Amino acid sequence: MITHPAFDVRPWAIHENSLHLDALARTESIFALSNGHIGVRGNLDEGEPYGIPGTYLNSVHELRPLPYAEAGYGYPESGETIINVTNGKLIRLLVDDEPLDVRYGTLHSHERTLDLRAGTLTRRLEWSSPAGAGVRVCAQRLVSFTQRAIMAIRYEVEPIDAPIRLVVQSELVANESLPGAVGDPRAATMPESPLIAEENATTAEGAVLVHLTKSSELRVGAGMRHEVTGPDALHVETDGAEDVARMTVTARLAPGERLTLVKYVAYGWSARRSRPAVHDQVVGALTAAHTTGWDGLLREQREFLGEFWSGADVEVDGDAEVQQAVRFALFHVLQAGARGECRPIPAKGLTGPGYDGHTFWDSEMFVLPVLTYTSPEAAADALRWRHRTLPIAEERAAQLGRAGAAFPWRTIAGRECSGYWPASTAAFHVNADIAHAVLRYVEATGDREFERDTGLPLLVATARLWRSLGHHDVEGRFRIDGVTGPDEYSALADNNVYTNLLARQNLIGAAEAAVRHPDRARDLDVSTEDIAEWRNAAGAMYIPYDDRLGVHPASEGFTDHAVWDFATTTAADYPLLLHYPYFELYRKQVVKQADLVLAMHVCPDAFSTGQKARNFAYYEPLTVRDSSLSACTQAVLAAEVGQLDLAYDYLGEAALMDLDDLEHNTRDGVHIASLAGTWVALVSGLGGMRVRSGQLSFAPRLPPNLARLRLRLRFLDRRLEVDIQADTATYRLLDGEPLTVVHHGTPLRLGADPVSRPIPPVSAGPRPRQPPGRAPARRGPGD
């Protein structure tokens, strides 16, 4: 664990009370702002020092070749990498000709606050130059949720105790120099100077730069406009070159006087529109923001977040760290998807370059559940992006000799970007994950129009893939052989339980949706024979079970493998993927991340209560959690089988993944799926939330260290609150028509009045052990 000594624990903010240059890259990710379209890292306003400069537009990427030592049919030919676009955050300050650089002079104080209700990052500092001239700076920035193309900054400077001459330079800069790679395959390979200048239109009011990416040929526009207030004798001028536009303000300030600069920055991009069109888009967005004004943008931001929190907040009584962490997590998950508008949700959101900016199955299985029950339109938009890329997925399936669609393991624009086929091409479960997200969204919203227009084509295409990928064996069982499940330490296995269960759900869901929308099904060439085949395959789906051990193997034969030699594996050997060949991992019983355990979470009715307890106990000693995706799932099942203290420990790990930098790579961006997992661990774990046959079900239980857990969520156009205490749960319908929910198996009808019910006790067996040195950190009073 690497704690940040300057972070305070606050319920509605992340507050840093002093600057630590050795943690700069990490805090740039923590303090990143985004709306799903624009993402800006929390770099210092002056630009230097920095960890990783970063300004991103969702889906703006560059192409790079994927070299292979030996060619193979079906290997992806090129990859996609997110790029750092034009930086509009820069506001440089010179004090009596000396630049404000916190590495020089004297930094008297420095604090930053990410306000989770206001949606702003505020920075305050006092600094004296090497010559002794002192200034006080207050800078506040936001990325607007309501005006999708806009970032805005208010930068205010005043002397501390003596007159000073100030020069403020507000800039747009493209093709910034970036730090080199860190040697971790999870980090990005960032292209140098990916932008070709097409236009620099600099005027007295501001500037617009338009660039074209070299290989992907995406056109990117960035513009800035300013409001400057201060002493009467202000001098303002603008200038620019190919990759730079600059407005310079010069002033003399006496003590008590202030110079205030409001900077509006707009972004736009397109793969098709012309340079003038992109230019005009940026100018239009700037004009709208300028008309709204800084105070108007702040008001809109707070109103947007107020509406979000009214149906999403989670209150935790008894653990201030987890309370802060879950709101931080919800804020970043919202930022990742709120205004993506038919674009993907990358694994790092738009907070850093990690994983090259790719989206994975994490989005559908970890992030979209949170958005579905807190901001459902954002979840729908992410699935509409999958629908947009359906032709590419169908082309990929045909290339692989399969029917339907084969969605990519990792991508930005829809094409497969992984050259390691055992963990990419073979990880077909991503297709069932997308179908699962469709079914979950429709179940939670009742949006039949979405189901007809977006959901059904996705369900049909993925069902066709499963029917062509699997086969009936001599015993009549439907098998899916040679695939990779969620656990990346097992590959090319037969009948992965998670994959087969999700494929079964996919096939049934496609058949049922096709029957509900017969006209649309005809448009998709779905026949009655297709529907019958899908139902037949689902009914015959093979789910392996080890009668000898009384557990489900993750895949057929998994429990026959030798167990990994944990006794000789040291702490320095983790994560295993960086220290051992995959060949060795694939042959052993060792689990990178929850696989069979995840299946028990997302397909709860496929397992008996006893099977869940035995399965969980069996896989705990094998799971090393070399992935940030694992802890939240283990928290959910630990809670379900009654291991409440262990569930609480796993909750803490998921919650503090980035705030405590547990995997030592938050510098490359926050872990959006693990952040989402904080909500999952609380709501699905301790809250016991499941949706069965269209009905919300809860089985809440709290560990001894938590006094209370209060959840808010959205379901079928209603807002619901669940208030959980040690021995009682109270359900309230905050708005909407009456609703029936289930509490520990008992239906409850919710109307105008809250309904309370006792929480039955639970007994659990001995606490399962984990691999040596891989147990989650214990949480308790004072921990």
Side-chain angles (χ1 to χ4, degrees), residues 15-36:
H15 177 253
E16 179 191 54
N17 55 43
S18 61
L19 188 65
H20 290 248
L21 296 182
D22 59 342
L24 202 54
R26 174 183 159 207
T27 57
E28 289 166 354
S29 299
I30 298 292
F31 289 130
L33 295 177
S34 175
N35 61 11

Side-chain angles (χ1 to χ4, degrees), residues 187-238:
T189 304
M190 298 295 288
E192 292 185 10
S193 302
L195 298 170
I196 302 171
E198 286 195 315
E199 176 186 9
N200 185 322
T202 302
T203 68
E205 290 187 340
V208 175
L209 302 185
V210 180
H211 287 77
L212 193 69
T213 58
K214 290 178 179 178
S215 298
S216 55
E217 297 185 343
L218 305 178
R219 183 166 280 113
V220 179
M224 62 180 180
R225 183 168 176 173
H226 302 88
E227 297 170 359
V228 184
T229 57
D232 294 336
L234 289 176
H235 177 73
V236 180
E237 61 182 53
T238 57

